[in-house]
Amino acid sequence: MLSALIVNAGNYLYNLIVGRILGPEAFADAAILITFLLVTSFLAMTFQLVTAKYTVIFEDEVETSFVNFITKKTVILGLVLGALIVIFHKQLQEAFNTQTSSMFLIFGFGVPIYFLMSVNRGIFQGKEKFIKLSITYQLEMISRLVITLVLLWFINFLEPSILISIGILASLFFSLFPFQLQHVFKSTVKLNEDQITMVKKFFVLTAFYECTQIIINNSDILLVKHYFDNYQAGLYASLALIGRVVYFVAWMFVMLLLPAVVNKQKDGLPHGPILLKYVGYISLLSCIIVIVSFLFPEFVVNILFGEAYIEISPLLWKYALATSIFAVSNVFAYYFLSIDQYIPVVITGLLGVTQVLLITYFHKDLEEVVVMQIIAMSILLAVQLLFFFTKTSKSQSLKKED
């Protein structure tokens, strides 16, 4: 948790410095690239979570065989997605109104590396080797921060977005260390059909959920970049970055939640109290952030991004509220996912699509975009809570009957 806090703080510092150096208009392009990195991280998280879960469940040669299986699939998909980004980099420039297409071209080459790194991290997470896991995150964050700032400081003949994409690509190589996959292809045992089916089922559901995460977390920035000019998009990008601090901190708890719940379920022990504990932590944190954003919006924006972004300050508490609601509902969703309860995952997907539709039809100004997210996320949390308490009451009734 301490490492995750440092990594998120470092990533935050990276975004804040880039935002201050570039100003709202240029930062709009940089924010698109950073959003693409977040989208990639959510896709790669599918492989990390699947790897984490089944390194807990499988043992010895079967575990090695599983890692072999998932690594091959990861590399293939990473190469395909990376190639698609490289091939369609011109079309991506047109879709998101960026100054250059080269930033997408460079970014595409990093996708396979990111996917491979996700399996590496999944092994550390599943085996609860949190020190090694933290090192991979630290190296990625520090290298990206240092390399990007050096490039922006010393090179002024290239577009800033190109320099940022180079910094991102370079940092992905550092994120591969420490490397755990050297002996992955030496397994002599193959997974049986039942095991492969089980893995594929969890993979598909996890991939579906991560896609909903992409929609909910990033569709607003992409849609704002499409519907508004660069100045407004840059302001909104700074708003999103400040408001999402609660989500990034909440992710620390999710990283600890999944292996803990899977282990409890494996041993036949109750795991509901673990969920409620983490929900309590995140709810308290969320309340503090929303209150501070409501009471001191101009101070927060000025300290983090500077005077150029002060116009967005009235929306800060509303965006923080939307993100807080989503962060709490997200903990419920990952909990259900870890115990093979998939209805909440489908519900999250439906609400993610609902959010996109609401923003698509209601985007008169930036405030309306934020309000649409509050509405969608409030419905999502209400449904998640209803599902949880319904399942809990049913379980307690069955125990009493027994």
Side-chain angles (χ1 to χ4, degrees), residues 71 107 209 324:
T71 302
F107 182 84
Y209 184 67
S324 297

Side-chain angles (χ1 to χ4, degrees), residues 30 52 61 71 86 138 149 153 157 168 180 185-186 192 217 222 235 266 271 284 288 301 308 333 336 385 388 400:
E61 281 293 314
T71 302
V86 169
Q138 297 286 350
L149 292 183
W153 186 266
F157 57 85
I168 290 172
Q180 184 76 18
F185 298 111
K186 293 186 177 180
N192 61 45
N217 258 300
L222 299 177
L235 289 176
K266 185 179 177 182
H271 36 67
L284 178 61
I288 293 171
V301 173
F336 291 128
L385 286 170
F388 173 74
K400 287 179 181 178

Side-chain angles (χ1 to χ4, degrees), residues 120-192:
N120 197 48
R121 286 178 173 172
I123 295 172
F124 293 138
Q125 184 182 352
K127 292 184 175 297
E128 298 187 6
K129 294 181 178 179
F130 292 122
I131 293 177
K132 290 185 177 180
L133 179 63
S134 68
I135 290 172
T136 71
Y137 282 103
Q138 297 286 350
L139 287 176
E140 182 190 1
M141 179 272 291
I142 293 170
S143 61
R144 180 161 59 243
L145 178 63
V146 172
I147 293 169
T148 302
L149 292 183
V150 168
L151 291 173
L152 288 173
W153 186 266
F154 289 104
I155 299 177
N156 53 19
F157 57 85
L158 290 175
E159 286 283 341
S161 56
I162 295 177
L163 300 177
I164 290 168
S165 63
I166 293 171
I168 290 172
L169 178 61
S171 70
L172 297 181
F173 288 98
F174 287 93
S175 69
L176 287 171
F177 301 98
F179 197 63
Q180 184 76 18
L181 299 172
Q182 296 95 327
H183 309 296
V184 70
F185 298 111
K186 293 186 177 180
S187 173
T188 57
V189 176
K190 289 188 176 181
L191 296 179
N192 61 45

Side-chain angles (χ1 to χ4, degrees), residues 230-362:
N230 264 7
Y231 178 71
Q232 291 289 307
L235 289 176
Y236 187 84
S238 68
L239 172 71
L241 184 63
I242 299 171
R244 283 177 180 167
V245 65
V246 65
Y247 177 82
F248 291 121
V249 176
W251 182 243
M252 298 186 306
F253 296 105
V254 171
M255 293 288 284
L256 299 174
L257 176 68
L258 187 134
V261 170
V262 172
N263 271 315
K264 290 283 187 183
Q265 187 182 38
K266 185 179 177 182
D267 296 335
L269 300 173
H271 36 67
I274 299 175
L275 168 68
L276 296 178
K277 179 174 69 173
Y278 288 142
V279 166
Y281 292 152
I282 294 168
S283 298
L284 178 61
L285 174 71
S286 300
C287 288
I288 293 171
I289 291 174
V290 172
I291 291 170
V292 171
S293 301
F294 178 75
L295 295 176
F296 312 106
E298 292 188 5
F299 174 77
V300 172
V301 173
N302 193 35
I303 288 293
L304 295 178
F305 275 94
E307 289 283 344
Y309 295 84
I310 207 74
E311 183 183 330
I312 206 69
S313 58
L315 297 182
L316 184 58
W317 75 270
K318 293 182 180 179
Y319 196 94
L321 177 61
T323 309
S324 297
I325 297 169
F326 175 57
V328 175
S329 66
N330 199 35
V331 177
F332 280 99
Y334 272 110
Y335 167 78
F336 291 128
L337 191 62
S338 65
I339 60 172
D340 300 325
Q341 293 286 336
Y342 301 129
I343 293 176
V345 177
V346 176
I347 293 169
T348 305
L350 292 174
L351 266 299
V353 173
T354 301
Q355 175 179 293
V356 172
L357 292 174
L358 285 172
I359 295 174
T360 300
Y361 287 103
F362 302 98

